[in-house]
Coordinates of all heavy atoms in Angstrom, one line a residue:
M1 N 21.8 -6.9 4.0 CA 21.9 -5.7 4.8 C 20.7 -4.8 4.6 O 20.1 -4.7 3.5 CB 23.1 -4.9 4.2 CG 23.6 -3.8 5.1 SD 25.0 -3.0 4.5 CE 24.4 -1.8 3.4
K2 N 20.2 -4.2 5.7 CA 19.0 -3.4 5.6 C 19.4 -2.1 4.9 O 20.5 -1.5 5.1 CB 18.5 -3.0 7.0 CG 17.7 -4.2 7.6 CD 16.8 -3.7 8.6 CE 15.9 -4.8 9.1 NZ 14.9 -4.4 10.0
S3 N 18.5 -1.6 4.1 CA 18.9 -0.4 3.3 C 17.6 0.4 3.1 O 16.5 -0.1 2.8 CB 19.5 -0.8 2.0 OG 19.5 0.3 1.1
A4 N 17.7 1.7 3.2 CA 16.6 2.6 2.9 C 16.3 2.6 1.4 O 15.2 3.1 1.0 CB 16.9 4.0 3.4
E5 N 17.2 2.1 0.6 CA 17.0 2.0 -0.8 C 16.2 0.8 -1.3 O 15.8 0.7 -2.4 CB 18.4 1.9 -1.5 CG 19.4 3.0 -1.2 CD 18.9 4.3 -1.7 OE1 18.4 4.4 -2.9 OE2 18.9 5.3 -1.0
T6 N 15.8 0.0 -0.3 CA 15.1 -1.2 -0.7 C 13.8 -0.8 -1.4 O 13.1 0.1 -0.9 CB 14.7 -2.0 0.5 OG1 15.9 -2.3 1.2 CG2 14.0 -3.3 0.1
K7 N 13.5 -1.4 -2.5 CA 12.4 -0.9 -3.3 C 11.5 -2.1 -3.7 O 12.0 -3.2 -4.1 CB 12.9 -0.3 -4.6 CG 11.9 0.2 -5.6 CD 11.8 1.8 -5.5 CE 10.9 2.3 -6.6 NZ 9.5 1.9 -6.5
V8 N 10.2 -2.0 -3.5 CA 9.3 -3.0 -3.9 C 9.1 -2.9 -5.4 O 8.9 -1.8 -5.9 CB 7.9 -2.8 -3.2 CG1 6.9 -3.9 -3.6 CG2 8.1 -2.9 -1.7
E9 N 9.2 -4.1 -6.0 CA 9.0 -4.1 -7.5 C 7.6 -4.0 -7.9 O 6.7 -4.6 -7.3 CB 9.6 -5.4 -8.1 CG 11.1 -5.3 -8.3 CD 11.5 -6.5 -9.1 OE1 11.8 -7.6 -8.4 OE2 11.6 -6.4 -10.3
D10 N 7.3 -3.2 -8.9 CA 5.9 -3.1 -9.4 C 5.7 -4.2 -10.4 O 5.9 -4.0 -11.6 CB 5.8 -1.7 -10.1 CG 4.3 -1.5 -10.6 OD1 3.5 -2.3 -10.2 OD2 4.1 -0.5 -11.3
T11 N 5.2 -5.3 -9.9 CA 4.9 -6.4 -10.8 C 3.4 -6.8 -10.5 O 2.9 -6.5 -9.5 CB 5.8 -7.7 -10.4 OG1 5.5 -8.0 -9.1 CG2 7.3 -7.3 -10.6
E12 N 2.9 -7.5 -11.5 CA 1.5 -8.0 -11.3 C 1.4 -8.9 -10.1 O 0.4 -8.8 -9.4 CB 1.0 -8.7 -12.6 CG -0.4 -9.1 -12.6 CD -1.4 -7.9 -12.3 OE1 -1.2 -6.8 -12.7 OE2 -2.4 -8.2 -11.5
E13 N 2.4 -9.7 -9.9 CA 2.3 -10.6 -8.7 C 2.3 -9.8 -7.4 O 1.5 -10.1 -6.5 CB 3.6 -11.5 -8.8 CG 3.6 -12.5 -7.7 CD 5.0 -13.3 -7.6 OE1 5.9 -13.0 -8.4 OE2 5.1 -14.1 -6.8
N14 N 3.1 -8.8 -7.3 CA 3.1 -7.9 -6.1 C 1.7 -7.2 -6.0 O 1.2 -7.0 -4.9 CB 4.2 -7.0 -6.1 CG 5.5 -7.7 -5.8 OD1 5.5 -8.8 -5.3 ND2 6.7 -7.0 -6.0
R15 N 1.2 -6.7 -7.1 CA -0.1 -6.0 -7.1 C -1.2 -7.0 -6.5 O -2.0 -6.6 -5.7 CB -0.5 -5.5 -8.4 CG 0.3 -4.4 -8.9 CD -0.2 -3.8 -10.2 NE 0.7 -2.9 -10.8 CZ 0.4 -2.0 -11.7 NH1 -0.8 -1.9 -12.2 NH2 1.3 -1.1 -12.2
Q16 N -1.1 -8.2 -6.9 CA -2.1 -9.2 -6.4 C -1.9 -9.4 -4.9 O -2.9 -9.5 -4.2 CB -2.0 -10.5 -7.2 CG -2.7 -10.4 -8.5 CD -2.7 -11.6 -9.3 OE1 -2.5 -12.7 -8.8 NE2 -3.0 -11.5 -10.6
I17 N -0.7 -9.5 -4.5 CA -0.4 -9.7 -3.0 C -1.0 -8.5 -2.3 O -1.7 -8.6 -1.3 CB 1.1 -9.8 -2.7 CG1 1.6 -11.1 -3.3 CG2 1.3 -9.7 -1.2 CD1 3.1 -11.3 -3.3
C18 N -0.7 -7.3 -2.8 CA -1.2 -6.0 -2.2 C -2.7 -6.0 -2.1 O -3.3 -5.6 -1.1 CB -0.7 -4.8 -3.0 SG -1.2 -3.3 -2.2
R19 N -3.4 -6.4 -3.1 CA -4.9 -6.4 -3.1 C -5.5 -7.1 -1.9 O -6.6 -6.8 -1.4 CB -5.4 -6.9 -4.4 CG -5.4 -5.9 -5.5 CD -6.1 -6.4 -6.8 NE -5.6 -5.6 -7.9 CZ -4.8 -6.0 -8.9 NH1 -4.4 -7.3 -8.9 NH2 -4.3 -5.2 -9.8
K20 N -4.8 -8.2 -1.5 CA -5.3 -9.0 -0.4 C -5.2 -8.1 0.9 O -6.0 -8.4 1.9 CB -4.4 -10.2 -0.2 CG -4.6 -11.2 -1.3 CD -3.8 -12.5 -0.9 CE -3.6 -13.3 -2.2 NZ -2.5 -14.3 -2.0
Y21 N -4.3 -7.2 1.0 CA -4.1 -6.4 2.2 C -4.7 -5.0 2.1 O -5.7 -4.7 2.9 CB -2.6 -6.4 2.6 CG -2.2 -7.8 2.9 CD1 -1.7 -8.6 1.9 CD2 -2.3 -8.3 4.2 CE1 -1.3 -9.9 2.2 CE2 -1.9 -9.6 4.5 CZ -1.4 -10.4 3.4 OH -1.1 -11.7 3.7
C22 N -4.3 -4.3 1.2 CA -4.8 -2.9 1.0 C -6.3 -3.1 0.7 O -7.1 -2.3 1.1 CB -4.2 -2.2 -0.2 SG -2.6 -1.5 0.3
G23 N -6.7 -4.1 -0.1 CA -8.1 -4.2 -0.6 C -9.0 -4.4 0.6 O -10.2 -4.1 0.5
G24 N -8.5 -5.0 1.7 CA -9.4 -5.3 2.8 C -9.2 -4.2 3.9 O -9.9 -4.3 5.0
C25 N -8.4 -3.3 3.7 CA -8.0 -2.3 4.7 C -9.1 -1.3 4.9 O -9.7 -0.8 4.0 CB -6.7 -1.7 4.3 SG -6.4 -0.1 5.1
P26 N -9.4 -0.9 6.2 CA -10.4 0.1 6.4 C -10.1 1.5 5.8 O -11.1 2.2 5.3 CB -10.4 0.3 8.0 CG -9.8 -1.0 8.5 CD -8.8 -1.5 7.4
T27 N -8.9 1.9 5.7 CA -8.5 3.1 5.1 C -8.9 3.1 3.6 O -9.4 4.0 3.0 CB -7.0 3.4 5.3 OG1 -6.7 3.5 6.7 CG2 -6.6 4.7 4.6
Y28 N -8.5 1.9 3.0 CA -8.8 1.8 1.5 C -10.3 1.9 1.3 O -10.7 2.6 0.4 CB -8.3 0.4 1.1 CG -8.2 0.2 -0.4 CD1 -7.0 0.5 -1.0 CD2 -9.3 -0.2 -1.1 CE1 -6.9 0.3 -2.4 CE2 -9.2 -0.4 -2.5 CZ -8.0 -0.1 -3.1 OH -7.9 -0.3 -4.5
K29 N -11.1 1.2 2.1 CA -12.5 1.2 1.9 C -13.2 2.5 2.2 O -14.0 3.0 1.4 CB -13.2 0.1 2.8 CG -12.8 -1.3 2.3 CD -13.5 -2.3 3.2 CE -13.1 -3.8 2.8 NZ -13.5 -4.7 3.8
Y30 N -12.7 3.1 3.3 CA -13.3 4.4 3.7 C -13.1 5.5 2.6 O -14.0 6.3 2.3 CB -12.7 4.9 5.0 CG -13.3 6.1 5.5 CD1 -14.3 6.1 6.4 CD2 -12.8 7.4 5.1 CE1 -14.9 7.2 6.9 CE2 -13.3 8.6 5.6 CZ -14.4 8.5 6.5 OH -15.0 9.6 7.0
N31 N -11.9 5.4 2.0 CA -11.6 6.5 1.0 C -11.8 6.0 -0.5 O -11.5 6.8 -1.4 CB -10.1 6.9 1.2 CG -9.9 7.5 2.5 OD1 -10.3 8.6 2.8 ND2 -9.2 6.8 3.4
S32 N -12.4 4.9 -0.6 CA -12.7 4.3 -2.0 C -11.5 4.4 -2.9 O -11.5 5.0 -4.0 CB -13.9 5.1 -2.6 OG -15.0 4.9 -1.8
L33 N -10.4 3.9 -2.4 CA -9.1 4.1 -3.1 C -9.0 3.4 -4.4 O -8.1 3.7 -5.3 CB -7.9 3.8 -2.2 CG -7.8 4.6 -1.0 CD1 -6.5 4.3 -0.2 CD2 -7.8 6.1 -1.3
E34 N -10.0 2.5 -4.7 CA -10.0 1.8 -6.0 C -10.3 2.8 -7.1 O -10.1 2.5 -8.3 CB -11.0 0.6 -6.0 CG -12.4 1.0 -6.0 CD -13.0 1.4 -4.6 OE1 -12.2 1.4 -3.6 OE2 -14.2 1.7 -4.5
K35 N -10.9 4.0 -6.8 CA -11.3 5.0 -7.8 C -10.1 5.9 -8.2 O -10.3 6.7 -9.1 CB -12.4 5.9 -7.2 CG -13.7 5.1 -6.9 CD -14.7 6.1 -6.4 CE -16.0 5.4 -6.0 NZ -16.8 6.3 -5.2
F36 N -9.0 5.8 -7.6 CA -7.9 6.7 -7.9 C -6.6 5.9 -8.2 O -6.5 4.8 -7.8 CB -7.6 7.6 -6.7 CG -8.9 8.4 -6.2 CD1 -9.6 7.8 -5.2 CD2 -9.3 9.5 -6.8 CE1 -10.8 8.5 -4.8 CE2 -10.4 10.2 -6.4 CZ -11.2 9.7 -5.4
Q37 N -5.8 6.6 -9.0 CA -4.5 5.9 -9.3 C -3.4 6.5 -8.4 O -3.4 7.7 -8.1 CB -4.2 6.2 -10.8 CG -5.0 5.4 -11.7 CD -4.9 3.9 -11.6 OE1 -3.8 3.4 -11.3 NE2 -6.0 3.1 -11.7
P38 N -2.4 5.7 -8.1 CA -2.4 4.3 -8.2 C -3.4 3.6 -7.3 O -3.7 4.2 -6.2 CB -1.0 3.9 -7.8 CG -0.5 4.9 -6.9 CD -1.2 6.2 -7.4
D39 N -4.0 2.5 -7.7 CA -5.1 1.9 -6.9 C -4.6 0.8 -6.1 O -5.4 0.1 -5.4 CB -6.2 1.5 -7.9 CG -5.8 0.4 -8.9 OD1 -4.6 0.1 -8.9 OD2 -6.7 -0.1 -9.6
T40 N -3.3 0.5 -6.2 CA -2.8 -0.6 -5.4 C -1.2 -0.5 -5.3 O -0.7 0.3 -6.1 CB -3.2 -1.9 -5.9 OG1 -2.9 -3.0 -5.0 CG2 -2.5 -2.3 -7.2
L41 N -0.6 -1.2 -4.5 CA 0.9 -1.3 -4.4 C 1.5 0.1 -4.2 O 2.4 0.5 -4.9 CB 1.5 -2.0 -5.7 CG 2.8 -2.6 -5.5 CD1 2.8 -3.7 -4.4 CD2 3.3 -3.2 -6.8
F42 N 0.9 0.8 -3.2 CA 1.4 2.2 -2.9 C 2.8 2.2 -2.5 O 3.5 3.2 -2.7 CB 0.5 2.8 -1.8 CG -1.0 2.7 -2.2 CD1 -1.8 1.8 -1.5 CD2 -1.5 3.5 -3.1 CE1 -3.1 1.7 -1.8 CE2 -2.9 3.4 -3.4 CZ -3.7 2.5 -2.8
C43 N 3.3 1.1 -1.9 CA 4.7 1.1 -1.4 C 5.7 1.2 -2.6 O 6.8 1.6 -2.4 CB 5.0 -0.1 -0.5 SG 4.6 -1.6 -1.3
A44 N 5.3 0.7 -3.8 CA 6.1 0.8 -5.0 C 5.7 1.9 -5.9 O 6.6 2.5 -6.5 CB 6.0 -0.5 -5.7
R45 N 4.4 2.2 -5.9 CA 3.9 3.2 -7.0 C 3.6 4.6 -6.4 O 3.2 5.5 -7.2 CB 2.7 2.6 -7.6 CG 3.0 1.2 -8.3 CD 1.7 0.5 -8.6 NE 1.0 1.1 -9.7 CZ -0.3 1.0 -9.9 NH1 -1.1 0.3 -9.1 NH2 -0.9 1.6 -10.9
G46 N 3.8 4.8 -5.1 CA 3.6 6.1 -4.5 C 2.2 6.2 -4.0 O 1.3 5.3 -4.1
K47 N 1.9 7.4 -3.4 CA 0.6 7.5 -2.7 C -0.5 7.7 -3.7 O -0.4 8.1 -4.8 CB 0.7 8.7 -1.7 CG 1.0 10.0 -2.3 CD 1.2 11.0 -1.1 CE 1.6 12.4 -1.7 NZ 1.9 13.3 -0.6
S48 N -1.7 7.5 -3.1 CA -2.9 7.6 -3.9 C -3.1 9.1 -4.3 O -2.7 10.0 -3.6 CB -4.1 7.2 -3.0 OG -5.3 7.6 -3.6
S49 N -3.8 9.3 -5.5 CA -4.1 10.7 -5.9 C -5.4 11.1 -5.4 O -5.9 12.2 -5.8 CB -4.1 10.7 -7.4 OG -5.0 9.8 -8.0
S50 N -6.0 10.4 -4.5 CA -7.3 10.8 -3.9 C -7.1 12.2 -3.2 O -6.2 12.4 -2.5 CB -7.7 9.8 -2.8 OG -8.8 10.3 -2.0
P51 N -8.1 13.1 -3.5 CA -8.0 14.4 -3.1 C -8.1 14.6 -1.6 O -7.6 15.5 -1.0 CB -9.1 15.2 -3.8 CG -10.0 14.1 -4.2 CD -9.2 12.9 -4.4
S52 N -8.8 13.7 -1.0 CA -8.9 13.7 0.5 C -8.7 12.3 1.0 O -9.0 11.3 0.4 CB -10.3 14.2 0.9 OG -11.3 13.3 0.6
M53 N -8.0 12.3 2.2 CA -7.6 11.0 2.7 C -7.8 11.0 4.2 O -7.2 11.8 4.9 CB -6.2 10.7 2.3 CG -5.6 9.4 2.8 SD -6.2 8.0 2.0 CE -5.1 8.0 0.6
K54 N -8.5 10.0 4.7 CA -8.6 9.9 6.2 C -8.0 8.5 6.5 O -8.4 7.5 6.0 CB -10.1 9.9 6.6 CG -10.3 9.8 8.1 CD -11.8 9.9 8.4 CE -12.2 9.6 9.8 NZ -11.4 9.3 10.9
E55 N -7.0 8.6 7.3 CA -6.3 7.3 7.8 C -7.2 6.6 8.8 O -7.5 7.2 9.8 CB -4.9 7.6 8.3 CG -3.9 7.9 7.3 CD -2.5 8.1 7.9 OE1 -2.3 7.7 9.0 OE2 -1.6 8.6 7.1
V56 N -7.5 5.4 8.6 CA -8.3 4.7 9.6 C -7.4 3.6 10.2 O -7.3 3.6 11.4 CB -9.6 4.0 8.9 CG1 -10.4 3.4 10.0 CG2 -10.4 5.1 8.1
N57 N -6.9 2.7 9.4 CA -6.0 1.7 9.9 C -5.2 1.2 8.7 O -5.5 1.5 7.6 CB -6.9 0.5 10.4 CG -6.2 -0.3 11.4 OD1 -5.0 -0.3 11.5 ND2 -6.9 -1.2 12.2
C58 N -4.2 0.5 9.0 CA -3.3 0.1 7.9 C -2.9 -1.4 8.1 O -2.5 -1.8 9.2 CB -2.0 0.9 7.9 SG -0.8 0.4 6.6
Y59 N -3.1 -2.2 7.0 CA -2.8 -3.6 7.1 C -1.4 -3.9 6.5 O -1.0 -5.1 6.5 CB -3.9 -4.4 6.3 CG -5.2 -4.5 6.9 CD1 -6.2 -5.2 6.3 CD2 -5.5 -4.0 8.2 CE1 -7.5 -5.3 6.9 CE2 -6.7 -4.1 8.8 CZ -7.7 -4.8 8.1 OH -9.0 -4.9 8.7
C60 N -0.7 -2.9 6.1 CA 0.6 -3.2 5.5 C 1.5 -4.1 6.4 O 2.2 -5.0 5.9 CB 1.4 -1.9 5.3 SG 0.7 -1.0 3.9
P61 N 1.6 -3.9 7.7 CA 2.5 -4.7 8.6 C 2.2 -6.2 8.5 O 3.0 -7.0 8.8 CB 2.3 -4.2 10.0 CG 1.9 -2.7 9.8 CD 1.0 -2.8 8.5
A62 N 1.0 -6.6 8.0 CA 0.6 -8.0 7.9 C 1.0 -8.5 6.5 O 1.0 -9.7 6.3 CB -0.9 -8.2 8.1
C63 N 1.4 -7.6 5.6 CA 1.7 -8.0 4.2 C 3.1 -8.6 4.1 O 4.0 -8.1 4.6 CB 1.5 -6.8 3.4 SG 2.1 -6.9 1.7
P64 N 3.2 -9.7 3.3 CA 4.5 -10.4 3.2 C 5.6 -9.4 2.5 O 6.7 -9.6 2.8 CB 4.3 -11.6 2.3 CG 2.8 -11.6 1.9 CD 2.1 -10.5 2.7
L65 N 5.1 -8.5 1.7 CA 6.1 -7.6 1.1 C 6.6 -6.6 2.0 O 7.7 -6.0 1.8 CB 5.4 -6.9 -0.1 CG 4.9 -7.8 -1.3 CD1 4.2 -6.9 -2.3 CD2 6.1 -8.5 -1.9
F66 N 5.9 -6.4 3.1 CA 6.4 -5.4 4.1 C 7.6 -5.9 4.8 O 8.6 -5.2 4.9 CB 5.2 -5.2 5.1 CG 5.4 -4.1 6.1 CD1 5.0 -2.8 5.8 CD2 6.0 -4.3 7.4 CE1 5.2 -1.8 6.7 CE2 6.1 -3.3 8.3 CZ 5.7 -2.0 8.0
D67 N 7.6 -7.1 5.3 CA 8.8 -7.7 5.9 C 9.9 -7.9 4.9 O 11.1 -7.6 5.2 CB 8.4 -9.0 6.6 CG 7.8 -8.8 8.0 OD1 8.0 -7.7 8.5 OD2 7.3 -9.7 8.5
K68 N 9.5 -8.5 3.8 CA 10.5 -8.9 2.8 C 11.4 -7.7 2.4 O 12.5 -7.8 2.0 CB 9.8 -9.5 1.6 CG 10.6 -10.2 0.6 CD 9.7 -10.8 -0.5 CE 10.5 -10.9 -1.8 NZ 9.6 -11.2 -2.9
N69 N 10.8 -6.5 2.3 CA 11.5 -5.4 1.8 C 11.9 -4.4 2.9 O 12.2 -3.2 2.6 CB 10.6 -4.6 0.8 CG 10.4 -5.5 -0.5 OD1 11.3 -5.6 -1.3 ND2 9.2 -6.2 -0.6
N70 N 11.8 -4.9 4.2 CA 12.2 -4.0 5.3 C 11.5 -2.7 5.4 O 12.1 -1.6 5.6 CB 13.7 -3.8 5.3 CG 14.5 -5.1 5.3 OD1 14.2 -6.0 6.1 ND2 15.5 -5.2 4.5
L71 N 10.2 -2.7 5.1 CA 9.4 -1.5 5.1 C 9.1 -1.1 6.5 O 9.1 -2.0 7.4 CB 8.1 -1.6 4.3 CG 8.3 -2.1 2.8 CD1 7.0 -2.2 2.2 CD2 9.2 -1.1 2.1
V72 N 8.8 0.2 6.8 CA 8.5 0.6 8.1 C 7.2 1.5 8.0 O 6.9 2.1 7.0 CB 9.6 1.4 8.8 CG1 10.7 0.5 9.2 CG2 10.1 2.5 7.9
I73 N 6.4 1.4 9.1 CA 5.3 2.2 9.4 C 4.1 1.8 8.5 O 3.0 1.5 9.0 CB 5.5 3.7 9.2 CG1 6.6 4.2 10.3 CG2 4.2 4.5 9.5 CD1 7.0 5.6 10.2
G74 N 4.2 1.9 7.2 CA 3.1 1.6 6.3 C 2.3 2.9 5.9 O 2.9 3.9 5.9
R75 N 1.0 2.7 5.7 CA 0.2 3.9 5.3 C 0.7 4.5 4.0 O 0.7 5.8 3.9 CB 0.1 4.9 6.4 CG -0.5 4.2 7.6 CD -0.7 5.0 8.8 NE -1.1 4.2 9.9 CZ -2.1 4.5 10.7 NH1 -2.7 5.6 10.7 NH2 -2.5 3.6 11.7
F76 N 1.3 3.7 3.1 CA 1.9 4.2 1.9 C 0.9 4.9 1.0 O 1.3 5.8 0.2 CB 2.6 3.1 1.2 CG 3.6 2.4 2.1 CD1 3.3 1.1 2.5 CD2 4.8 3.0 2.5 CE1 4.2 0.4 3.4 CE2 5.7 2.4 3.3 CZ 5.4 1.1 3.8
C77 N -0.4 4.6 1.1 CA -1.4 5.2 0.3 C -1.5 6.7 0.6 O -1.9 7.5 -0.3 CB -2.7 4.5 0.5 SG -3.3 4.6 2.1
H78 N -1.1 7.1 1.8 CA -1.3 8.5 2.2 C 0.1 9.2 2.3 O 0.2 10.3 2.0 CB -2.0 8.5 3.6 CG -2.3 9.9 4.0 ND1 -2.5 10.2 5.3 CD2 -2.5 11.0 3.3 CE1 -2.8 11.5 5.4 NE2 -2.8 12.0 4.2
R79 N 1.1 8.4 2.7 CA 2.4 9.0 3.0 C 3.4 8.8 1.9 O 4.5 9.3 1.9 CB 2.9 8.5 4.3 CG 1.9 8.7 5.4 CD 2.4 8.3 6.7 NE 1.3 8.4 7.7 CZ 1.5 8.3 9.0 NH1 2.7 8.2 9.5 NH2 0.5 8.5 9.8
G80 N 3.0 7.9 0.9 CA 3.9 7.6 -0.2 C 5.1 6.7 0.2 O 5.2 6.3 1.3
Ligands
SF4_1 S1 -1.2 1.4 2.4 FE1 -1.9 0.7 4.4 S2 -3.5 2.2 5.0 FE2 -3.2 2.4 2.8 S3 -4.7 1.1 1.9 FE3 -2.8 -0.1 2.1 S4 -3.1 -1.2 4.0 FE4 -4.5 0.5 4.0
SF4_2 S1 3.2 -3.1 2.1 FE1 1.1 -2.2 2.0 S2 1.1 -1.0 0.1 FE2 2.8 -2.4 0.0 S3 2.0 -4.2 -1.1 FE3 1.8 -4.6 1.1 S4 -0.3 -4.0 1.6 FE4 0.3 -3.1 -0.3

């Protein structure tokens, strides 16, 4: 059953999956999100603490965790 309660687990395996998508994402690169915490897996760990954020594009919909966890929209680095 689909549920808004679905939660992505914060595991090292999931962080590695995320790095393949967020790590190559234009928004991530433009805002140098590797410099701020959380630096990955925003869908589980919340939005970036970067003081300024410009949304460029989001690769979340291509990520396997996105479908698996029934996530919507993406841009979790900015929107939490
Ligand atoms: S959450 Fe989406 S917009 Fe943000 S860095 Fe990851 S892929 Fe890019
Ligand atoms: S859905 Fe987005 S933030 Fe979550 S693991 Fe995938 S690429 Fe990272």
